[in-house]
Amino acid sequence: MNKILPICIVLFSVLACSPVDPEKPPKLVIGIVVDQMRYDYLTRYWDDLSPNGFKRFYKQGFVAHNHHFNYYQTLTGPGHASISTGTTPSVHGIIGNEWYDRTSQREVYCVDDKDVEGLGSTTKGRKSPKQLITTTFADQLRLHTQFRNKVIGVSLKDRSAVLSTGHSANAAYWFAGEDEGVFTTSTYYMDSLPNWVSEYNAKKHPHQYASSVWNTLHPIETYTASGPDDTPYEGIFKGADRPTFPYDLSTLSPDYYKDKGLDIVHNTPFGNTLVTDMALLALKHEGLGKDEEADVLMISYSSTDHVGHQFGLTAIETQDTYLRLDLELERLFSEIDQTIGMDDVTVFLTSDHGAVHVPKYLNDHKFPGGHDKSKGIKDQVNQVLFSKTGVDNLVLHIGNDQMYLDHERVAKNKLALDKLADEAIRMVLTFSTIEKAFKTVDVPQLSPSEKLHNLLLRGNHVKRAGDIYMIPKPGHIDYGHTGTTHGTGFSYDTHAPLLMMGRGIKAGQTYKETSITDIAPTMCALLGTAFPNGMTGSVILDALLKADK
Ligand SMILES: [Zn+2]
């Protein structure tokens, strides 16, 4: 026995050290963001998922079951910025997809930049990350490698590609639909589109998808995780009579666009196929993961969001979009296996926000909910403020559950902003759809012990926010009676999947609460880089092999 013991120790230490050295960073980090993906899509669609898409993370990687957005407003711009920077809108500044800018007196879009030009698109190219205040984990990696590595983002949406990568990205590519149907970028990143992008654009795949037929992947009677195909809760494509399969796309347009031609591809699973195509081409032509300097590829799938907005949470269209995305993931992973090897790659998958059930569907099943949470508020508050002051139109703008008062008018008429805000809050609280209201300037003093206060503290960027937050009751949205949306701090909007696998990731799972801001620090810990400069999240130790050493 005495002789066997040392041999066991030697054997154990050899086995413990192989096959991977937990200290060795990955050659490539792939971050996958599935736009509008709720955590429970994984459990609801589980029986119909393939073994090597989403399920591969469960077999080989780490699953955080209780993963949340930790700020208010849960939207695409803030979501992608928070994933990449490891902090919240209060610090990175992306408080919405757009917000009212008092200096220019208009709404600004989170990635618009008139100082750059589009490449490949005449209408959708002028974008950059200049409104993102802090650095991303990929930025820190660029600094760490003396800019010898590559960071590339791909998405249908410009804000998703731009904000998930950061200031020093080599490229962010997004889709210009309408009559162009091309992937584009801006002069912020480069002087001309690479040949591989131009060649892909020349193949006109979006045009082919826009004239194809979308039918269910499997026999429609197997979609038992969803409701019937024809319900009053689903948006109808323009040109169709009903929200039912099969869809002959050549005759249709998305219901909430007018005549945006190739934008119809957004609202079908084929939009995600285009994104995988581009991601695989970027892997191949940019040589990602091929040398010792770690690269980053951010892939954001947007069709899930467009389909969710149009059809809602219980539609067969939504389930079909996820089942097809599952196969896109399989296609991506199989390419990584063959060209780089998953042992040298770390992959994470998460979402940028969740979504609520269609409120009409909730009502029809005896749940509270409503469709017009802020309807009439601007007019009513303007009326009451006029009756008190004799000054009209003191409410400039309502957006992202915030009310912006006209500071110039307030000053010109020597009014007290604080008293006007109090008066406005009194009126706002008479609306049955609104549960609570706070002055933005009071948010820093709110007790962080209450969850909502914490979410507001982290979502509130004082220079960009309005004067008043208006918090709706759960299940209340500003949206039509078909399809759904997101944006609040309720769990249906905050609960997202977080799946990780590959280099440095331990097999396992946790039900401990993790936050969207924990992803970037966890990637930095794996890569051995400095943390993003505004980071407020924490490293998810349970997921890391190196944390066991
Ligand atoms: Zn959305």
Side-chain angles (χ1 to χ4, degrees):
M1 282 298 279
N2 284 351
K3 282 182 186 171
I4 293 170
L5 193 61
I7 295 168
C8 284
I9 291 168
V10 170
L11 256 180
F12 175 77
S13 44
V14 167
L15 286 173
C17 290
S18 67
V20 286
D21 173 4
E23 287 300 329
K24 199 175 168 198
K27 291 181 177 175
L28 174 65
V29 170
I30 298 184
I32 302 169
V33 186
V34 183
D35 202 315
Q36 205 187 110
M37 183 173 182
R38 289 165 51 109
Y39 165 82
D40 65 349
Y41 285 149
L42 287 168
T43 50
R44 196 144 66 82
Y45 301 149
W46 184 261
D47 289 346
D48 299 310
L49 296 175
S50 77
N52 298 311
F54 288 108
K55 281 183 177 172
R56 184 159 170 185
F57 289 98
Y58 284 75
K59 278 187 292 189
Q60 297 178 2
F62 188 84
V63 180
H65 294 280
N66 192 13
H67 188 68
H68 288 267
F69 291 87
N70 54 350
Y71 56 84
Y72 204 102
Q73 281 255 316
T74 41
L75 299 164
T76 293
H80 285 78
S82 301
I83 291 163
S84 64
T85 62
T87 190
T88 56
S90 58
V91 182
H92 62 57
I94 305 298
I95 64 166
N97 293 332
E98 57 279 311
W99 57 87
Y100 188 81
D101 176 50
R102 293 187 186 280
T103 312
S104 58
Q105 300 190 327
R106 60 179 181 85
E107 259 195 316
V108 293
Y109 178 60
C110 59
V111 292
D112 267 350
D113 185 351
K114 294 287 174 278
D115 295 331
V116 300
E117 296 300 325
L119 295 172
S121 164
T122 53
T123 57
K124 297 276 179 68
R126 304 180 76 181
K127 315 291 170 192
S128 85
K130 79 171 182 191
Q131 302 197 77
L132 181 67
I133 293 169
T134 60
T135 62
T136 66
F137 78 88
D139 283 330
Q140 296 304 144
L141 185 60
R142 293 280 286 147
L143 287 163
H144 192 78
T145 65
Q146 306 301 315
F147 305 96
R148 286 190 295 262
N149 69 334
K150 285 191 178 172
V151 171
I152 293 177
V154 181
S155 179
L156 290 185
K157 293 186 183 178
D158 47 26
R159 58 186 179 276
S160 306
V162 169
L163 296 172
S164 63
T165 45
H167 303 276
S168 58
N170 300 79
Y173 300 107
W174 56 91
F175 184 63
E178 301 194 21
D179 53 357
E180 294 186 299
V182 292
F183 279 87
T184 182
T185 187
S186 78
T187 52
Y188 179 83
Y189 300 97
M190 60 189 79
D191 298 328
S192 61
L193 275 182
N195 282 342
W196 63 265
V197 179
S198 303
E199 282 165 15
Y200 183 70
N201 285 338
K203 288 183 178 159
K204 295 190 178 294
H205 290 303
H207 301 70
Q208 290 154 25
Y209 287 125
S211 56
S212 69
V213 173
W214 175 20
N215 209 344
T216 51
L217 182 65
H218 304 301
I220 199 162
E221 61 276 11
T222 64
Y223 285 65
T224 52
S226 301
D229 191 22
D230 190 359
T231 73
Y233 314 113
E234 301 167 79
I236 300 174
F237 282 111
K238 283 199 189 317
D241 298 327
R242 314 212 66 80
T244 52
F245 285 100
Y247 293 102
D248 179 355
L249 301 181
S250 62
T251 63
L252 306 174
S253 295
D255 68 335
Y256 51 91
Y257 297 128
K258 287 226 157 51
D259 293 304
K260 296 257 178 130
L262 295 162
D263 278 354
I264 193 159
V265 179
H266 291 171
N267 296 48
T268 73
F270 307 132
N272 290 336
T273 306
L274 300 177
V275 169
T276 312
D277 287 350
M278 280 289 288
L280 294 179
L281 288 170
L283 274 175
K284 182 177 168 191
H285 292 281
E286 301 292 345
L288 303 182
K290 290 290 184 186
D291 57 28
E292 291 306 312
E293 304 283 15
D295 300 313
V296 174
L297 176 62
M298 294 297 297
I299 308 168
S300 179
Y301 288 107
S302 317
S303 285
T304 41
D305 184 64
H306 292 285
V307 171
H309 277 297
Q310 179 166 346
F311 296 100
L313 272 54
T314 57
I316 290 173
E317 286 81 352
T318 302
Q319 184 178 352
D320 195 63
T321 301
Y322 279 90
L323 299 189
R324 287 171 184 272
L325 175 61
D326 192 37
L327 301 183
E328 293 296 321
L329 295 178
E330 195 176 315
R331 179 157 76 105
L332 177 68
F333 299 156
S334 140
E335 187 68 18
I336 294 167
D337 289 336
Q338 286 164 36
T339 57
I340 310 169
M342 196 58 89
D343 281 348
D344 281 324
V345 179
T346 304
V347 187
F348 71 81
L349 183 148
T350 190
S351 164
D352 58 345
H353 53 72
V356 67
H357 273 285
V358 179
K360 182 78 173 66
Y361 174 86
L362 292 175
N363 297 158
D364 289 349
H365 294 84
K366 302 184 180 175
F367 293 93
H371 287 270
D372 299 308
K373 68 178 176 189
S374 0
K375 192 177 176 187
I377 290 183
K378 187 177 175 187
D379 289 346
Q380 293 276 321
V381 173
N382 266 331
Q383 269 179 33
V384 79
L385 295 185
F386 178 74
S387 73
K388 303 276 177 191
T389 65
V391 180
D392 59 4
N393 293 324
L394 282 165
V395 181
L396 262 181
H397 179 76
I398 285 182
N400 297 339
D401 291 345
Q402 293 161 52
M403 177 183 290
Y404 290 73
L405 298 173
D406 189 334
H407 290 188
E408 276 188 19
R409 263 165 194 259
V410 169
K412 202 168 118 195
N413 292 282
K414 298 192 170 49
L415 302 172
L417 182 65
D418 196 51
K419 290 207 173 80
L420 290 175
D422 286 335
E423 204 64 62
I425 283 178
R426 269 193 283 281
M427 174 50 80
V428 165
L429 290 174
T430 66
F431 281 75
S432 63
T433 51
I434 303 295
E435 189 86 324
K436 292 173 179 158
F438 302 89
K439 282 187 278 190
T440 313
V441 290
D442 289 345
V443 167
Q445 277 85 49
L446 293 175
S447 155
S449 59
E450 195 170 318
K451 187 185 169 200
L452 172 64
H453 293 176
N454 230 316
L455 299 176
L456 286 173
L457 281 162
R458 296 195 184 111
N460 178 35
H461 188 274
V462 177
K463 286 188 173 179
R464 293 179 178 178
D467 297 287
I468 293 164
Y469 277 106
M470 305 177 295
I471 310 299
K473 287 179 178 164
H476 286 73
I477 59 178
D478 280 325
Y479 214 71
H481 283 228
T482 59
T484 190
T485 194
H486 48 86
T488 71
F490 297 115
S491 58
Y492 52 72
D493 281 337
T494 66
H495 192 192
L498 174 59
L499 313 172
M500 292 183 267
M501 67 176 172
R503 162 74 69 186
I505 300 295
K506 202 158 59 172
Q509 54 180 312
T510 185
Y511 282 87
K512 281 186 220 160
E513 186 162 346
T514 52
S515 296
I516 204 72
T517 49
D518 297 340
I519 297 172
T522 304
M523 291 305 120
C524 290
L526 268 176
L527 291 161
T529 66
F531 292 119
N533 58 15
M535 185 193 90
T536 50
S538 305
V539 176
I540 304 173
L541 295 173
D542 291 347
L544 296 187
L545 283 171
K546 61 163 65 171
D548 285 351
K549 283 187 79 185

